[in-house]
């Protein structure tokens, strides 16, 4: 274990043998740092917080701070971070609340660029990218493989489905379908995340089928509920189309982000 002599570490903290802790870091008593974690310098890890193996945290980040919630009264809520995440300078991850699930959960293999914020009770999937200063309100759910552009903000209780892309500066006040692409203030749906689909290995024919599904659902005739039924029936064996339908039918606390008419 390599610990700089200026680091302040509570003796009750659970720290793996090969963890590296740089100058001026502070580690609380209920913290667990798993194998290979690296804290560069001036990092605070507090509360009931678990940081998964291989995660690297850069200076001035505060991980496991108390939730920014008016009803929080010091309850022992948690933050759980997965493996092999890169957390850049000045990022803030808050613990959960008893008004929510009591835990904030972050997946594995994510990148959080400078100033990223994960609000209380959020659930962040795997392979998610937060560009600089991307922000989540409380109780937000982010699916696997999502890209959040710089300075965007997702409203509390919002959902962003798997593989979606949120543009820079977007104010996301409505739920974003899986594989959707949204931007603007307030954000509107502007099609599918074509870059993301190609990176997932979609060939030209599969992309054409997804685009046809999107047009039938969001640009077709009739009421939206009717179009949803038709699009579902026409989706056939496209798992991603079925995922979009399931996301919409599941509903949430926020309305659905739709194209501008």
């Amino acid at each position: 274990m390599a610990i700089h002599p200026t680091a302040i570490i509570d003796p009750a903290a659970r720290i793996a043998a090969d963890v590296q802790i740089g100058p001026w870091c502070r580690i609380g008593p209920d913290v667990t740092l798993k194998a290979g974690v690296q804290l560069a310098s001036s990092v605070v890890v507090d509360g009931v917080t678990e940081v998964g193996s291989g995660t690297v945290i850069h200076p001035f980040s505060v991980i496991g701070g108390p939730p920014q919630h008016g009803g929080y009264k010091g309850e022992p809520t948690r933050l759980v971070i997965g493996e092999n995440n890169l957390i850049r300078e000045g990022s803030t991850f808050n613990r959960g609340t008893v008004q929510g699930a009591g835990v904030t959960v972050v997946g594995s293999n994510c990148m959080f660029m400078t100033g990223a914020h994960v609000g209380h009770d959020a659930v962040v999937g795997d392979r998610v990218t937060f560009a600089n200063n991307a922000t989540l309100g409380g109780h937000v759910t982010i699916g696997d493989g999502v890209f959040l552009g710089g300075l965007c903000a997702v409203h509390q209780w919002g959902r962003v489905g798997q593989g979606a892309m949120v543009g820079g500066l977007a104010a996301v006040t409505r739920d974003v379908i899986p594989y959707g692409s949204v931007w603007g203030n307030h954000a509107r749906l502007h099609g599918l995340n074509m870059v993301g689909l190609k990176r997932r290995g979609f060939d030209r024919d599969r992309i054409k089928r997804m685009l046809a599904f999107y047009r039938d659902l969001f640009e077709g005739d009739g009421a939206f509920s009717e179009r949803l039924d038709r699009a579902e029936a026409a989706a056939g064996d496209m798992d991603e189309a079925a995922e979009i339908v399931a996301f919409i039918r599941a509903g949430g606390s926020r309305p659905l982000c739709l194209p501008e008419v």
Side-chain angles (χ1 to χ4, degrees), residues 38 40-43 55-63 85-93 110-117 129-133:
Q38 299 178 41
S41 65
S42 302
V43 174
T55 291
V56 178
I57 307 177
H58 282 248
F60 307 111
S61 295
V62 178
I63 307 300
N85 292 293
L86 175 60
I87 302 172
R88 293 297 302 266
E89 298 83 355
S91 294
T92 50
F93 291 27
C110 300
M111 176 185 284
F112 299 88
M113 299 185 195
T114 300
H117 175 68
T129 299
F130 283 52
N132 298 60
N133 299 107

Side-chain angles (χ1 to χ4, degrees), residues 119-137:
H120 62 83
D121 302 291
V123 177
V124 178
D126 298 331
R127 305 179 310 282
V128 173
T129 299
F130 283 52
N132 298 60
N133 299 107
T135 296
L136 304 184

Side-chain angles (χ1 to χ4, degrees), residues 89-249:
E89 298 83 355
S91 294
T92 50
F93 291 27
N94 291 168
R95 306 192 301 271
T97 65
V98 294
Q99 291 81 6
V103 59
T104 302
V105 179
V106 174
S108 298
N109 301 300
C110 300
M111 176 185 284
F112 299 88
M113 299 185 195
T114 300
H117 175 68
V118 178
H120 62 83
D121 302 291
V123 177
V124 178
D126 298 331
R127 305 179 310 282
V128 173
T129 299
F130 283 52
N132 298 60
N133 299 107
T135 296
L136 304 184
H139 312 281
V140 167
T141 300
I142 303 293
D144 294 343
V146 167
F147 182 93
L148 300 175
L151 296 164
C152 76
V154 183
H155 196 284
Q156 62 258 36
W157 297 102
R159 299 181 301 153
V160 179
Q162 175 176 212
M165 176 177 285
V166 175
L169 296 169
V172 183
T173 60
R174 295 168 175 258
D175 288 347
V176 179
I177 61 169
Y179 314 105
S181 177
V182 305
W183 65 85
N185 185 4
H186 291 46
R188 307 296 298 188
L189 184 64
H190 291 270
L192 295 174
N193 178 11
M194 302 301 295
V195 172
L197 293 178
K198 291 174 182 177
R199 286 175 177 170
R200 290 173 64 89
F202 280 45
D203 60 24
R204 182 175 298 179
D205 179 66
R206 198 172 177 192
I207 287 176
K208 286 176 63 176
R209 292 178 65 197
M210 284 292 291
L211 287 172
F213 167 84
Y214 177 90
R215 286 192 294 268
D216 290 344
L217 179 55
F218 292 106
E219 301 172 6
D221 297 325
F224 183 76
S225 60
E226 297 169 348
R227 284 181 270 139
L228 183 62
D229 290 340
R230 291 199 303 268
E232 182 178 22
D237 60 350
M238 286 193 299
D239 291 341
E240 294 77 15
E243 184 178 350
I244 293 172
V245 171
F247 181 93
I248 294 170
R249 292 202 187 282

